[in-house]
Amino acid sequence: MSASVECIRDIGTAWKVIETAFSVTPTTGLRKDSNTTASATQSTLTTSMELQSALELLINHGVGHIIEEWFLEELRVHLQCRVAPVFTAHFNKELPPDTSVASYMCEVIQELYDSLAPYVLKLKQLEDLVNLYQIPTADNTDYSAVKNSTPTAKVSLLERAQTLFKAVLLPRYQLPERLYALVKRFYSAAMQVHHAIDDAVDKENDEEAGEGIRCLGCSSDADDCSCSNLTLAFRQINQQLYELDLLERFAGEAVTSVIHEKICSHVQHSCKGNFEVSYLRSLEHWLETKVVRWLSEVYRGSDACPRYSDPHVAASVEVYESRLHHLLYETYAAVRMEQLFNIIIEYPESEPAMLDLRRCLEKTNLRSQLVKLLKTALETRLLHPGVNTTDILTAYISGIRALRTLDPTGVILELVCEPVRKYLRTRDDTVRCIVSSLTDDSSGELADELIRGEPLLLEDSCQGEDDMFNWETWFPDPVDADPTKTSQSRRSSDIISMLVNIYGSKELFVNEYRTLLADRILSQFNYDTDKEIRYLELLKLRFGDSQLHYCEVMLKDVVDSKRMNALIHNAKLLGHQQMDPPINAMTLSAQFWPSFREDKLELPESIKRSLDSYTRNFETLKGNRTLCWKPHLGLVNLEIELKDRKVPVICSPVHATIIMHFQEQCSWTVDELSAVMHVPVSVLRRKITFWQSQGLLKEEKTDSFILIEEGESLSVPVRNVIDNRSLRGIVEKYVSPSRLLQC
């Protein structure tokens, strides 16, 4: 022993002892048998006394700090010259035939692990000696001479070696393409097996499996199921990579990609196309019980693994879990944003999907993307000439309700619907459609809004209001809000107010309602005004009494006309003149009604006499007031008596005049009728087609018509066929005052 100690007093001899103790015997290949490794290690170990003496000598001479650097350099050379080329070569060739990904990956990682295991063992031995003998290292600087300074945290020898593993074996964080594809295939198969096992195949599937059904995990026949082998390979590879600190560098990107694809496919499969059920909570539960458990299995292993209790790994998994929740919200939001147009159209049935999307937007930064996608969808699918104005308004109303659920601040609604508002302003029939829907029971949505009776809130009226009135519940608007508009106007405007704000003026809608009311009164020709009075009172709550005064007078004219007709037809009236045929008139106050087109029409003499009698009776009652007739407007009840039949017809005065002239002679040319009736030829041709369709007139030759007294005619109610369209055109086109009477 003394001779040995004497030899170690020489620095060269001491260094040889260190080299012998911590060198790894090279082998011809990377893979070594465990017995061979143990034998080689045993043969190279020196006695503890020799090693202790050598270490003390090197420390005393001030060269102890180079032991670690020498060992790491030996490791680097070994990795670059022997390990890395062989490891890389495995992934530069195609997968051998009849070899599964799991078995191939298991073999390659096992070979890598065996080649580095001796160095890991020596690293631990060297680190123990460094700590035991306080051997100085290159990063263990003596700070005793520097006052008021704090030493940095020391990096362990094993950590430095693991950094070397990553730098030499996987120099880039992104794996080579072939290696990445292979790793991704392996972890994708591992996740599929994990989910299949976790879902616990029920008894029915077990019975089917015995009949040759394919395994849900490995997609092999049930008799050749390899799920257990893949699971064992999965756990072994993860453990070995963890010990080498290569797990994140080797598998991190592939695991993330596999999980991302799994989340996307699951979200698409679970909820695409169904908007009536909320899926977000069930997706969160699925993520926590399925995906996060598998992720924990990758990085932490099972409960029995030593790394399961590693606090650093547990903390990393928790951070990863929060990222996965964010990924789930982004994926779900992306799916719903692609379907957002349909969700809006189906609202309120789609409210659960809208609430889910609202929650996702609160946790992600996708507002601007949502606005962009929805604008594009509206312009592509809604704002073009092929869509009726009524359908655009229906979609706009659904959008208001749906987007208010999505964003109560109204900012998204304001940004998305501005192009819709601009487009609706370019359509001539927008105001007419809005007013018609307001006063139409069948439309439903706007009629219900009208019943609510809230006053209009125009944009201009909100500019000066104080948004801090309810300061305790106040929240700032999102950053994408228009600073020129108040938050109160966005939050409190109802649907009717927003429709009126398309034009920003009440007058347009009031005038349109006046025209529509005139159209209804003159096309229906009845004196029941209860329904119209109800609508008028509701509109007063919205637009104000003064705006609708003209409409109030119009309805009063209808009531007065009913009373006047009853008085005029009273035979006891002083100076009463009989009317044959009888006349019922609608007396209108010219200055309050829209004006009507002045079409010329010369009525038959019998009708003119009855109108004159009605006028004289009216003058008898009203004194100095008289009537100005509109002969081209009104309805005529006719019963046409032919040789073999009687045909009851309700038609306009123009149509009645045409057929009455055929009492005088059976054949008329268009020019002759035009001269007698004072109606343009082009208009007359169009009007005669009605009687042709009824089978009463026939064009014997060009522009020459005869009466068909025998044959089957079409007994069709005419009132809604003839004059609703022409009268509506008259009423809507001309808006100057006039006085009208119906015959």
Side-chain angles (χ1 to χ4, degrees):
M1 183 67 186
S2 61
S4 177
V5 174
E6 182 69 26
C7 292
I8 296 180
R9 289 177 179 174
D10 177 66
I11 293 179
T13 304
W15 187 255
K16 287 183 179 180
V17 171
I18 296 298
E19 285 184 333
T20 304
F22 293 105
S23 63
V24 179
T25 304
T27 58
T28 54
L30 292 179
R31 189 76 180 269
K32 299 191 292 182
D33 184 79
S34 59
N35 293 329
T36 305
T37 303
S39 176
T41 303
Q42 182 65 31
S43 64
T44 58
L45 286 176
T46 61
T47 64
S48 59
M49 292 297 294
E50 289 177 327
L51 187 57
Q52 179 181 352
S53 178
L55 288 172
E56 290 176 350
L57 182 63
L58 293 174
I59 292 172
N60 291 334
H61 283 78
V63 293
H65 64 278
I66 68 172
I67 298 176
E68 283 190 5
E69 302 305 319
W70 162 79
F71 185 84
L72 291 175
E73 179 62 20
E74 286 290 311
L75 176 60
R76 184 189 65 78
V77 172
H78 181 70
L79 287 172
Q80 288 182 335
C81 297
R82 301 184 60 81
V83 179
V86 178
F87 177 72
T88 307
H90 285 297
F91 303 106
N92 289 332
K93 58 184 179 181
E94 297 293 335
L95 191 68
D98 301 328
T99 302
S100 66
V101 176
S103 61
Y104 186 73
M105 287 287 295
C106 194
E107 179 181 348
V108 172
I109 300 302
Q110 181 66 53
E111 184 176 292
L112 176 65
Y113 183 78
D114 289 344
S115 66
L116 298 178
Y119 279 95
V120 174
L121 179 62
K122 296 292 185 180
L123 279 166
K124 292 179 180 179
Q125 292 176 358
L126 180 56
E127 194 159 25
D128 291 340
L129 289 173
V130 169
N131 295 329
L132 179 62
Y133 293 101
Q134 297 296 312
I135 301 176
T137 58
D139 62 334
N140 192 14
T141 308
D142 183 9
Y143 289 92
S144 59
V146 184
K147 294 183 179 181
N148 300 324
S149 61
T150 304
T152 57
K154 179 182 177 181
V155 180
S156 69
L157 182 61
L158 182 59
E159 290 175 341
R160 295 175 65 190
Q162 289 171 340
T163 302
L164 199 58
F165 292 162
K166 288 183 279 190
V168 176
L169 297 175
L170 301 169
R172 292 178 296 173
Y173 194 86
Q174 186 173 8
L175 299 181
E177 187 175 350
R178 283 180 179 270
L179 175 57
Y180 173 76
L182 198 62
V183 175
K184 185 177 178 181
R185 281 179 59 189
F186 171 73
Y187 281 99
S188 179
M191 173 175 262
Q192 185 176 347
V193 169
H194 175 82
H195 281 207
I197 295 174
D198 207 38
D199 288 341
V201 183
D202 56 23
K203 293 182 180 180
E204 181 179 352
N205 289 338
D206 287 338
E207 293 174 1
E208 292 177 351
E211 298 173 2
I213 301 299
R214 299 181 70 83
C215 173
L216 298 177
C218 60
S219 301
S220 302
D221 292 338
D223 296 336
D224 299 327
C225 178
S226 58
C227 289
S228 58
N229 294 334
L230 197 149
T231 302
L232 291 174
F234 171 73
R235 292 173 178 170
Q236 176 184 322
I237 289 173
N238 290 334
Q239 180 62 32
Q240 291 174 341
L241 290 174
Y242 169 77
E243 293 179 11
L244 299 175
D245 197 31
L246 292 174
L247 182 57
E248 174 61 27
R249 180 69 67 92
F250 186 80
E253 185 180 2
V255 168
T256 302
S257 178
V258 168
I259 290 177
H260 192 176
E261 291 176 2
K262 184 65 177 179
I263 290 175
C264 291
S265 64
H266 184 76
V267 170
Q268 291 274 4
H269 181 266
S270 299
C271 59
K272 189 168 186 178
N274 188 352
F275 312 135
E276 299 180 7
V277 179
S278 176
Y279 287 98
L280 199 53
R281 293 196 180 278
S282 62
L283 288 173
E284 288 172 336
H285 177 73
W286 169 81
L287 183 73
E288 292 167 1
T289 57
K290 304 288 185 181
V291 179
V292 174
R293 279 183 58 187
W294 182 77
L295 178 68
S296 180
E297 185 113 0
V298 173
Y299 288 102
R300 301 181 66 187
S302 60
D303 298 350
C305 291
R307 59 191 168 114
Y308 187 83
S309 56
D310 188 338
H312 298 291
V313 176
S316 299
V317 171
E318 287 182 6
V319 173
Y320 211 138
E321 181 179 354
S322 65
R323 290 168 54 196
L324 290 182
H325 275 88
H326 188 268
L327 178 61
L328 175 67
Y329 296 136
E330 283 190 336
T331 304
Y332 183 82
V335 171
R336 285 309 191 206
M337 285 191 298
E338 290 177 359
Q339 308 160 342
L340 190 53
F341 182 84
N342 294 332
I343 293 174
I344 289 174
I345 297 300
E346 296 185 19
Y347 194 85
E349 288 78 9
S350 61
E351 185 176 9
M354 193 62 76
L355 291 174
D356 281 351
L357 182 56
R358 173 180 172 179
R359 190 163 160 232
C360 290
L361 289 182
E362 292 171 353
K363 297 177 179 293
T364 59
N365 188 26
L366 297 175
R367 284 173 62 95
S368 59
Q369 185 178 347
L370 180 143
V371 170
K372 183 178 179 181
L373 287 174
L374 186 53
K375 274 186 175 180
T376 303
L378 290 173
E379 292 172 359
T380 304
R381 303 178 62 177
L382 192 66
L383 307 182
H384 58 80
V387 183
N388 294 328
T389 304
T390 304
D391 295 333
I392 297 177
L393 286 171
T394 301
Y396 182 46
I397 293 168
S398 295
I400 293 173
R401 291 177 170 171
L403 294 177
R404 281 229 169 110
T405 300
L406 179 66
D407 177 26
T409 65
V411 174
I412 292 180
L413 172 63
E414 182 180 63
L415 295 173
V416 168
C417 290
E418 185 58 30
V420 182
R421 290 154 58 98
K422 288 182 179 178
Y423 183 79
L424 285 172
R425 281 196 288 268
T426 65
R427 291 220 170 185
D428 297 334
D429 58 343
T430 298
V431 178
R432 186 184 319 139
C433 291
I434 294 172
V435 175
S436 298
S437 299
L438 281 172
T439 56
D440 186 0
D441 289 334
S442 61
S443 66
E445 291 186 358
L446 281 183
D448 292 342
E449 286 289 325
L450 184 62
I451 292 172
R452 291 171 57 188
E454 297 179 1
L456 284 180
L457 184 64
L458 298 182
E459 290 178 348
D460 294 340
S461 65
C462 298
Q463 297 301 316
E465 295 183 9
D466 187 4
D467 289 339
M468 295 297 291
F469 181 71
N470 296 322
W471 60 271
E472 293 179 340
T473 59
W474 179 84
F475 283 95
D477 286 334
V479 294
D480 51 348
D482 185 353
T484 63
K485 297 182 180 178
T486 63
S487 60
Q488 183 178 357
S489 65
R490 298 189 195 97
R491 298 171 194 263
S492 58
S493 294
D494 65 329
I495 291 176
I496 296 179
S497 297
M498 295 195 68
L499 292 174
V500 173
N501 281 329
I502 292 176
Y503 294 91
S505 170
K506 296 180 182 179
E507 286 73 15
L508 280 173
F509 292 86
V510 172
N511 291 335
E512 185 62 37
Y513 174 67
R514 187 161 68 104
T515 302
L516 178 66
L517 181 61
D519 185 18
R520 285 179 177 171
I521 292 172
L522 299 180
S523 62
Q524 296 173 2
F525 289 100
N526 65 60
Y527 301 102
D528 184 9
T529 59
D530 291 343
K531 181 178 177 182
E532 297 298 340
I533 290 175
R534 173 174 172 268
Y535 284 130
L536 180 60
E537 294 301 322
L538 290 172
L539 287 169
K540 282 182 180 180
L541 296 175
R542 293 278 183 171
F543 295 93
D545 291 352
S546 60
Q547 297 279 347
L548 293 165
H549 175 64
Y550 279 22
C551 299
E552 197 171 8
V553 174
M554 291 167 64
L555 291 177
K556 185 177 180 297
D557 285 345
V558 177
V559 176
D560 291 344
S561 297
K562 180 180 180 181
R563 181 176 55 83
M564 183 60 64
N565 282 322
L567 291 174
I568 288 176
H569 287 286
N570 187 356
K572 297 180 181 179
L573 179 68
L574 182 63
H576 178 266
Q577 296 188 12
Q578 294 294 331
M579 293 169 286
D580 185 24
I583 301 293
N584 285 301
M586 187 80 74
T587 307
L588 311 180
S589 304
Q591 65 269 30
F592 294 99
W593 283 71
S595 63
F596 308 102
R597 187 174 59 193
E598 296 294 336
D599 287 348
K600 291 184 178 180
L601 176 63
E602 186 70 21
L603 296 173
E605 287 298 325
S606 60
I607 302 297
K608 291 167 67 175
R609 287 194 297 269
S610 292
L611 294 178
D612 292 340
S613 298
Y614 190 98
T615 301
R616 285 190 289 272
N617 290 334
F618 181 85
E619 291 172 347
T620 302
L621 290 171
K622 290 293 185 178
N624 60 348
R625 297 180 63 185
T626 188
L627 298 175
C628 178
W629 294 92
K630 301 293 182 184
H632 61 288
L633 298 177
L635 290 178
V636 180
N637 287 305
L638 293 178
E639 186 178 73
I640 303 173
E641 186 174 348
L642 302 172
K643 288 183 179 180
D644 57 347
R645 65 197 186 279
K646 293 181 180 180
V647 182
V649 177
I650 302 175
C651 61
S652 70
V654 177
H655 291 90
T657 303
I658 291 172
I659 201 66
M660 290 177 71
H661 279 297
F662 279 87
Q663 291 183 111
E664 303 170 6
Q665 61 187 57
C666 294
S667 176
W668 288 83
T669 65
V670 173
D671 292 334
E672 292 171 344
L673 275 177
S674 175
V676 172
M677 295 174 57
H678 299 171
V679 175
V681 173
S682 59
V683 175
L684 199 57
R685 285 197 188 99
R686 190 169 64 251
K687 300 295 183 181
I688 289 176
T689 56
F690 168 72
W691 294 116
Q692 289 180 277
S693 66
Q694 296 298 307
L696 295 177
L697 295 182
K698 179 181 178 181
E699 190 172 11
E700 186 179 27
K701 55 185 179 179
T702 303
D703 289 344
S704 179
F705 296 89
I706 61 172
L707 178 67
I708 303 175
E709 297 216 28
E710 294 182 355
E712 184 177 354
S713 63
L714 302 175
S715 182
V716 178
V718 187
R719 177 172 180 170
N720 292 329
V721 177
I722 304 174
D723 261 358
N724 279 357
R725 181 177 12 174
S726 60
L727 183 59
R728 185 175 297 113
I730 294 168
V731 172
E732 290 174 353
K733 271 193 173 181
Y734 297 88
V735 290
S736 58
S738 86
R739 178 174 294 160
L740 167 68
L741 281 155
Q742 171 193 340
C743 62

